[in-house]
Amino acid sequence: MKSSLFFRLILFLVLHFTSSVYAQCTSCDIVNPVTFGNYTFPANRTVCFTQNTTLGDIILEDNAKICIAPNVTLTINTNTTTTEGYNNQIDVNGTLKFSNNPNFKSDIQLNIASTGLLENSAGFTITNSKTSIINNGTINLQNTINFAGASSKNYVENNGTINVSRFNSTNGATTVYNTGTIKLTNIID
């Protein structure tokens, strides 16, 4: 009887609270490395931002992870450089703003917590082989999410709100799982 109750409790916790775990920063190798300027996110390191930061050009090395704390804004103003075959992860508990259209060539895992906000007026271009976007907060893109990898496998799970002009999947396979709200101002390709 006790083991059955314990199993049910564990199952309940896993099913009902996994969305809050996606975008948690569990450990930081580097905290607030700069408050402005260009920055290279080092390989195999988690870089956490606990204060508002504005960056110019950024480079994500292999297995670089970015974590933005709640009530903190990370603004990326110019180029986002990633490399095909690399893996990168971005956990947004606060706000991530792009002033440009980032082109993710690396495989990317983007986790947006219930307190998270991703904003960009220029859209997103993703030309990698694998993308995972888990949104439990808000994504505001005034342009297109463009999945353009030739044989890419893209997964979008929305449990929050996505405001976007359109999803454009010209190549590869894109799966969208939605339990939240998606507001489109254009068509789905």
PDB file of all heavy atoms in Angstrom, residues 36-52:
ATOM      1  N   PHE A  36      28.683  44.522 -20.448  1.00  0.00           N
ATOM      2  CA  PHE A  36      28.470  45.044 -21.795  1.00  0.00           C
ATOM      3  C   PHE A  36      29.636  44.603 -22.670  1.00  0.00           C
ATOM      4  O   PHE A  36      30.648  44.112 -22.183  1.00  0.00           O
ATOM      5  CB  PHE A  36      28.336  46.577 -21.808  1.00  0.00           C
ATOM      6  CG  PHE A  36      29.580  47.277 -21.361  1.00  0.00           C
ATOM      7  CD1 PHE A  36      30.543  47.664 -22.283  1.00  0.00           C
ATOM      8  CD2 PHE A  36      29.807  47.527 -20.030  1.00  0.00           C
ATOM      9  CE1 PHE A  36      31.709  48.287 -21.864  1.00  0.00           C
ATOM     10  CE2 PHE A  36      30.970  48.157 -19.608  1.00  0.00           C
ATOM     11  CZ  PHE A  36      31.927  48.535 -20.527  1.00  0.00           C
ATOM     12  N   GLY A  37      29.483  44.765 -23.993  1.00  0.00           N
ATOM     13  CA  GLY A  37      30.552  44.424 -24.931  1.00  0.00           C
ATOM     14  C   GLY A  37      30.322  43.067 -25.570  1.00  0.00           C
ATOM     15  O   GLY A  37      29.252  42.474 -25.461  1.00  0.00           O
ATOM     16  N   ASN A  38      31.348  42.564 -26.246  1.00  0.00           N
ATOM     17  CA  ASN A  38      31.289  41.267 -26.908  1.00  0.00           C
ATOM     18  C   ASN A  38      31.688  40.184 -25.918  1.00  0.00           C
ATOM     19  O   ASN A  38      32.439  40.434 -24.976  1.00  0.00           O
ATOM     20  CB  ASN A  38      32.217  41.242 -28.122  1.00  0.00           C
ATOM     21  CG  ASN A  38      31.841  42.300 -29.137  1.00  0.00           C
ATOM     22  OD1 ASN A  38      30.685  42.694 -29.233  1.00  0.00           O
ATOM     23  ND2 ASN A  38      32.814  42.761 -29.893  1.00  0.00           N
ATOM     24  N   TYR A  39      31.208  38.943 -26.169  1.00  0.00           N
ATOM     25  CA  TYR A  39      31.560  37.866 -25.240  1.00  0.00           C
ATOM     26  C   TYR A  39      31.532  36.521 -25.961  1.00  0.00           C
ATOM     27  O   TYR A  39      30.638  36.256 -26.767  1.00  0.00           O
ATOM     28  CB  TYR A  39      30.598  37.829 -24.044  1.00  0.00           C
ATOM     29  CG  TYR A  39      31.017  36.835 -22.990  1.00  0.00           C
ATOM     30  CD1 TYR A  39      32.146  37.061 -22.212  1.00  0.00           C
ATOM     31  CD2 TYR A  39      30.308  35.661 -22.797  1.00  0.00           C
ATOM     32  CE1 TYR A  39      32.556  36.140 -21.260  1.00  0.00           C
ATOM     33  CE2 TYR A  39      30.695  34.737 -21.844  1.00  0.00           C
ATOM     34  CZ  TYR A  39      31.825  34.982 -21.079  1.00  0.00           C
ATOM     35  OH  TYR A  39      32.224  34.061 -20.142  1.00  0.00           O
ATOM     36  N   THR A  40      32.510  35.683 -25.651  1.00  0.00           N
ATOM     37  CA  THR A  40      32.546  34.301 -26.115  1.00  0.00           C
ATOM     38  C   THR A  40      32.180  33.402 -24.953  1.00  0.00           C
ATOM     39  O   THR A  40      32.858  33.402 -23.911  1.00  0.00           O
ATOM     40  CB  THR A  40      33.944  33.938 -26.653  1.00  0.00           C
ATOM     41  OG1 THR A  40      34.235  34.777 -27.779  1.00  0.00           O
ATOM     42  CG2 THR A  40      33.993  32.478 -27.083  1.00  0.00           C
ATOM     43  N   PHE A  41      31.095  32.641 -25.117  1.00  0.00           N
ATOM     44  CA  PHE A  41      30.662  31.706 -24.085  1.00  0.00           C
ATOM     45  C   PHE A  41      31.510  30.442 -24.222  1.00  0.00           C
ATOM     46  O   PHE A  41      31.465  29.767 -25.247  1.00  0.00           O
ATOM     47  CB  PHE A  41      29.169  31.390 -24.243  1.00  0.00           C
ATOM     48  CG  PHE A  41      28.296  32.564 -23.908  1.00  0.00           C
ATOM     49  CD1 PHE A  41      28.011  33.533 -24.868  1.00  0.00           C
ATOM     50  CD2 PHE A  41      27.792  32.727 -22.638  1.00  0.00           C
ATOM     51  CE1 PHE A  41      27.228  34.630 -24.563  1.00  0.00           C
ATOM     52  CE2 PHE A  41      27.002  33.825 -22.318  1.00  0.00           C
ATOM     53  CZ  PHE A  41      26.726  34.778 -23.283  1.00  0.00           C
ATOM     54  N   PRO A  42      32.310  30.118 -23.190  1.00  0.00           N
ATOM     55  CA  PRO A  42      33.275  29.028 -23.315  1.00  0.00           C
ATOM     56  C   PRO A  42      32.623  27.647 -23.377  1.00  0.00           C
ATOM     57  O   PRO A  42      31.543  27.419 -22.842  1.00  0.00           O
ATOM     58  CB  PRO A  42      34.145  29.171 -22.068  1.00  0.00           C
ATOM     59  CG  PRO A  42      33.350  29.977 -21.106  1.00  0.00           C
ATOM     60  CD  PRO A  42      32.371  30.788 -21.896  1.00  0.00           C
ATOM     61  N   ALA A  43      33.341  26.732 -24.025  1.00  0.00           N
ATOM     62  CA  ALA A  43      32.882  25.353 -24.169  1.00  0.00           C
ATOM     63  C   ALA A  43      32.717  24.691 -22.809  1.00  0.00           C
ATOM     64  O   ALA A  43      33.498  24.929 -21.881  1.00  0.00           O
ATOM     65  CB  ALA A  43      33.878  24.562 -25.021  1.00  0.00           C
ATOM     66  N   ASN A  44      31.682  23.875 -22.710  1.00  0.00           N
ATOM     67  CA  ASN A  44      31.438  23.043 -21.535  1.00  0.00           C
ATOM     68  C   ASN A  44      31.307  23.825 -20.238  1.00  0.00           C
ATOM     69  O   ASN A  44      31.651  23.327 -19.163  1.00  0.00           O
ATOM     70  CB  ASN A  44      32.546  21.990 -21.395  1.00  0.00           C
ATOM     71  CG  ASN A  44      32.672  21.148 -22.631  1.00  0.00           C
ATOM     72  OD1 ASN A  44      31.690  20.598 -23.118  1.00  0.00           O
ATOM     73  ND2 ASN A  44      33.875  21.080 -23.174  1.00  0.00           N
ATOM     74  N   ARG A  45      30.804  25.055 -20.338  1.00  0.00           N
ATOM     75  CA  ARG A  45      30.623  25.898 -19.161  1.00  0.00           C
ATOM     76  C   ARG A  45      29.214  26.481 -19.156  1.00  0.00           C
ATOM     77  O   ARG A  45      28.638  26.770 -20.194  1.00  0.00           O
ATOM     78  CB  ARG A  45      31.617  27.064 -19.146  1.00  0.00           C
ATOM     79  CG  ARG A  45      33.070  26.653 -19.043  1.00  0.00           C
ATOM     80  CD  ARG A  45      33.385  26.204 -17.618  1.00  0.00           C
ATOM     81  NE  ARG A  45      34.797  25.912 -17.454  1.00  0.00           N
ATOM     82  CZ  ARG A  45      35.313  24.685 -17.454  1.00  0.00           C
ATOM     83  NH1 ARG A  45      34.537  23.643 -17.637  1.00  0.00           N
ATOM     84  NH2 ARG A  45      36.592  24.504 -17.284  1.00  0.00           N
ATOM     85  N   THR A  46      28.682  26.683 -17.947  1.00  0.00           N
ATOM     86  CA  THR A  46      27.408  27.358 -17.765  1.00  0.00           C
ATOM     87  C   THR A  46      27.700  28.781 -17.311  1.00  0.00           C
ATOM     88  O   THR A  46      28.349  28.996 -16.292  1.00  0.00           O
ATOM     89  CB  THR A  46      26.535  26.643 -16.721  1.00  0.00           C
ATOM     90  OG1 THR A  46      26.284  25.313 -17.169  1.00  0.00           O
ATOM     91  CG2 THR A  46      25.218  27.372 -16.515  1.00  0.00           C
ATOM     92  N   VAL A  47      27.221  29.737 -18.093  1.00  0.00           N
ATOM     93  CA  VAL A  47      27.399  31.151 -17.777  1.00  0.00           C
ATOM     94  C   VAL A  47      26.049  31.692 -17.317  1.00  0.00           C
ATOM     95  O   VAL A  47      25.065  31.625 -18.064  1.00  0.00           O
ATOM     96  CB  VAL A  47      27.917  31.947 -18.991  1.00  0.00           C
ATOM     97  CG1 VAL A  47      28.036  33.424 -18.656  1.00  0.00           C
ATOM     98  CG2 VAL A  47      29.253  31.387 -19.462  1.00  0.00           C
ATOM     99  N   CYS A  48      26.009  32.216 -16.096  1.00  0.00           N
ATOM    100  CA  CYS A  48      24.763  32.708 -15.522  1.00  0.00           C
ATOM    101  C   CYS A  48      24.793  34.230 -15.413  1.00  0.00           C
ATOM    102  O   CYS A  48      25.832  34.821 -15.097  1.00  0.00           O
ATOM    103  CB  CYS A  48      24.551  32.118 -14.139  1.00  0.00           C
ATOM    104  SG  CYS A  48      24.396  30.319 -14.157  1.00  0.00           S
ATOM    105  N   PHE A  49      23.644  34.822 -15.669  1.00  0.00           N
ATOM    106  CA  PHE A  49      23.484  36.263 -15.544  1.00  0.00           C
ATOM    107  C   PHE A  49      22.502  36.543 -14.416  1.00  0.00           C
ATOM    108  O   PHE A  49      21.353  36.102 -14.470  1.00  0.00           O
ATOM    109  CB  PHE A  49      23.005  36.872 -16.861  1.00  0.00           C
ATOM    110  CG  PHE A  49      24.052  36.813 -17.931  1.00  0.00           C
ATOM    111  CD1 PHE A  49      24.120  35.721 -18.788  1.00  0.00           C
ATOM    112  CD2 PHE A  49      24.990  37.819 -18.057  1.00  0.00           C
ATOM    113  CE1 PHE A  49      25.097  35.646 -19.766  1.00  0.00           C
ATOM    114  CE2 PHE A  49      25.984  37.744 -19.030  1.00  0.00           C
ATOM    115  CZ  PHE A  49      26.038  36.661 -19.889  1.00  0.00           C
ATOM    116  N   THR A  50      22.973  37.277 -13.405  1.00  0.00           N
ATOM    117  CA  THR A  50      22.149  37.644 -12.266  1.00  0.00           C
ATOM    118  C   THR A  50      21.984  39.157 -12.180  1.00  0.00           C
ATOM    119  O   THR A  50      21.428  39.658 -11.213  1.00  0.00           O
ATOM    120  CB  THR A  50      22.754  37.109 -10.952  1.00  0.00           C
ATOM    121  OG1 THR A  50      24.059  37.670 -10.781  1.00  0.00           O
ATOM    122  CG2 THR A  50      22.835  35.588 -10.969  1.00  0.00           C
ATOM    123  N   GLN A  51      22.504  39.859 -13.185  1.00  0.00           N
ATOM    124  CA  GLN A  51      22.299  41.305 -13.298  1.00  0.00           C
ATOM    125  C   GLN A  51      22.075  41.646 -14.768  1.00  0.00           C
ATOM    126  O   GLN A  51      22.513  40.919 -15.649  1.00  0.00           O
ATOM    127  CB  GLN A  51      23.482  42.087 -12.741  1.00  0.00           C
ATOM    128  CG  GLN A  51      24.777  41.881 -13.501  1.00  0.00           C
ATOM    129  CD  GLN A  51      25.962  42.550 -12.811  1.00  0.00           C
ATOM    130  OE1 GLN A  51      25.959  42.721 -11.600  1.00  0.00           O
ATOM    131  NE2 GLN A  51      26.965  42.919 -13.581  1.00  0.00           N
ATOM    132  N   ASN A  52      21.388  42.735 -15.023  1.00  0.00           N
ATOM    133  CA  ASN A  52      21.086  43.144 -16.390  1.00  0.00           C
ATOM    134  C   ASN A  52      22.377  43.339 -17.167  1.00  0.00           C
ATOM    135  O   ASN A  52      23.333  43.935 -16.665  1.00  0.00           O
ATOM    136  CB  ASN A  52      20.261  44.421 -16.406  1.00  0.00           C
ATOM    137  CG  ASN A  52      18.881  44.208 -15.829  1.00  0.00           C
ATOM    138  OD1 ASN A  52      18.381  43.095 -15.766  1.00  0.00           O
ATOM    139  ND2 ASN A  52      18.251  45.279 -15.389  1.00  0.00           N
TER     140      ASN A  52
END
